[in-house]
Amino acid sequence: MAAIHLPRTIRIGGGTLAELPQALAQSGLSRPAIVTDAWIAQCGVLDQVLAILAEAGMPARAFCEVIPDPTVASVEAATAFVRDGDHDCVIGLGGGSPIDTAKAVAVLVRSPRPMRELKSPHQEDEPGLPIVAIPTTAGTGSEATRFTIITDQTTDEKMLCAGLAYLPSIAIVDFELTLSMPARLTADTGIDSLVHAIEAYVSKRANPFADSMALSAMRLIWPNLPRACADPGDRAAREALMLGALQGGIAFSNSSVALVHGMSRPIGAHFHVSHGLSNAMLMPVVTRWSAPGALHRYAECARTMAIAHDSESDQTAVGRLVEALHAINAELKVPSPAAYGIDKARWDELLPLMAEQALASGSPGNNPRVPQADEIVELYGQAWS
């Protein structure tokens, strides 16, 4: 059995941003607060959204101080801003950080409490303010998930918070908002969505519905990610990546992520590596280690991505998959932790803590091959260079 949870309304396609007022009105909403970051405020996207809303008679206030890897302190500031206005919904506008912040704000405005109390394994299902997600990157899939990630700045821990309260009511998925993404951001977010799809498919919590989304996401992302990085204006590739990111988000929200994500979060928290980039650093190493636990499933990923032929054995297909993951990292110039400039002494010092935090997140327990803490430390070591 599987319980499937999706946003109430998803509007997909180039130009769908213009339908935001209609989507709000359809849900009985008219007084949005926008949560975004300084880049979205400066590049013109926020002004575009505000103009669309104003023309429809829906004036909005905007909080523009979201930070990468949002912290408890930054969420509290955004919550205070939204609470000071007469708002009936929260719009997360931007990449994963603004959308994750908006999700936390939507809960805390209605039910004030310390953010740490919401950390997994706690499940927050009591509805907060309705959440509207407008992604401007093709990666996190957060517009369709029931999770948010908030960093406790006092401990450098990325806290996974889960529950139906974080599932957006409305998602506006407009690939035209991604056309100005630089190559590095395109690569990092694209790898993130690919990892979502693969981990959802090999997860111990996989199910037929999530499988269909995951496989479709792989077909869309794998051939189009290099195209979009090489030519940012390739509209067909951008559209495919945006749809693939959405489907990858739906897949893991209704299945789960696994060891890559569990290990990735501590790297981001302690060394401030972007989430997609830390996923890419880990994916080939973790795939090779995990494959014996779900050999056929990993082989099906390789076949779906046209990396291996149907006639090849599962073992051969998985070998090709690991090689291809190393190759795309090289093509997209994904650095190792060593090449990224992380201090080796600090890395080694933090390995036991990072392994502990990875296990505490719960994600490694969904992996087809479940690791012990010492095995996670060893995998971090293999990913170093």
Side-chain angles (χ1 to χ4, degrees):
M1 295 180 62
I4 306 302
H5 305 288
L6 301 167
R8 178 182 298 173
T9 298
I10 306 175
R11 299 197 178 208
I12 306 170
T16 49
L17 181 63
E19 298 180 0
L20 174 60
Q22 181 183 352
L24 290 173
Q26 190 177 43
S27 294
L29 305 172
S30 61
R31 305 187 309 280
I34 299 173
V35 174
T36 191
D37 58 32
W39 167 247
I40 296 297
Q42 294 167 7
C43 73
V45 172
L46 175 60
D47 288 341
Q48 185 181 359
V49 173
L50 289 171
I52 289 170
L53 290 170
E55 186 176 354
M58 298 180 178
R61 297 167 67 239
F63 176 87
C64 305
E65 298 173 25
V66 170
I67 61 174
D69 297 322
T71 62
V72 171
S74 68
V75 166
E76 288 173 346
T79 301
F81 175 89
V82 174
R83 191 178 285 127
D84 284 345
D86 179 26
H87 299 293
D88 59 6
C89 61
V90 182
I91 296 176
L93 173 65
S97 293
I99 296 176
D100 276 1
T101 300
K103 289 179 173 185
V105 167
V107 170
L108 294 177
V109 164
R110 285 222 173 143
S111 181
R113 76 196 90 163
M115 193 75 219
R116 179 162 280 278
E117 290 185 8
L118 299 172
K119 173 187 169 184
S120 180
H122 174 80
Q123 288 281 318
E124 186 63 25
D125 293 330
E126 187 73 23
L129 283 178
I131 301 162
V132 181
I134 307 177
T136 61
T137 63
T140 69
S142 190
E143 66 273 12
T145 73
R146 51 191 175 89
F147 307 103
T148 188
I149 307 289
I150 305 298
T151 299
D152 182 342
Q153 70 273 11
T154 64
T155 61
D156 279 336
E157 179 187 3
K158 279 194 171 186
M159 299 184 295
L160 172 65
C161 305
L164 294 180
Y166 305 111
L167 183 65
S169 299
I170 300 170
I172 305 293
V173 185
D174 186 342
F175 77 88
E176 291 181 353
L177 295 174
T178 71
L179 291 173
S180 61
M181 286 174 62
R184 179 75 270 150
L185 183 59
T186 300
D188 294 348
T189 55
I191 289 289
D192 188 22
S193 55
L194 180 67
V195 176
H196 290 158
I198 292 175
E199 290 211 297
Y201 189 71
V202 302
S203 165
K204 288 186 172 183
R205 299 177 64 184
N207 59 77
F209 175 83
D211 286 353
S212 67
M213 292 288 103
L215 292 170
S216 180
M218 291 179 223
R219 293 187 191 98
L220 289 165
I221 296 163
W222 184 253
N224 287 292
L225 181 54
R227 284 178 52 187
C229 290
D231 179 7
D234 187 330
R235 291 176 64 87
R238 290 291 193 187
E239 185 171 18
L241 289 181
M242 197 67 159
L243 182 57
L246 171 66
Q247 292 179 338
I250 291 172
F252 88 79
S253 185
N254 290 285
S255 172
S256 66
V257 287
L259 182 55
V260 173
H261 274 75
M263 291 178 62
S264 176
R265 296 184 195 109
I267 295 177
H270 292 287
F271 298 103
H272 306 293
V273 178
S274 73
H275 178 63
L277 187 56
S278 57
N279 276 347
M281 291 173 174
L282 294 165
M283 187 61 181
V285 168
V286 172
T287 297
R288 183 176 61 244
W289 184 85
S290 301
L295 194 67
H296 181 68
R297 288 232 150 202
Y298 278 106
E300 285 301 299
C301 293
R303 296 178 184 115
T304 297
M305 294 154 64
I307 294 167
H309 298 295
D310 290 345
S311 59
E312 293 180 297
S313 70
D314 286 352
Q315 189 71 51
T316 299
V318 170
R320 292 192 186 279
L321 176 62
V322 173
E323 290 174 0
L325 292 172
H326 280 294
I328 198 167
N329 276 3
E331 181 179 354
L332 300 180
K333 297 181 172 58
V334 173
S336 66
Y340 189 80
I342 293 173
D343 179 75
K344 181 66 160 60
R346 180 68 173 156
W347 175 268
D348 289 343
E349 176 190 354
L350 287 173
L351 285 183
L353 176 60
M354 291 200 297
E356 178 185 330
Q357 290 177 341
L359 284 172
S361 73
S363 298
N366 301 322
N367 206 60
R369 184 181 175 191
V370 179
Q372 301 297 314
D374 60 337
E375 292 172 308
I376 293 180
V377 169
E378 183 178 346
L379 288 169
Y380 275 131
Q382 292 175 20
W384 168 256
S385 59

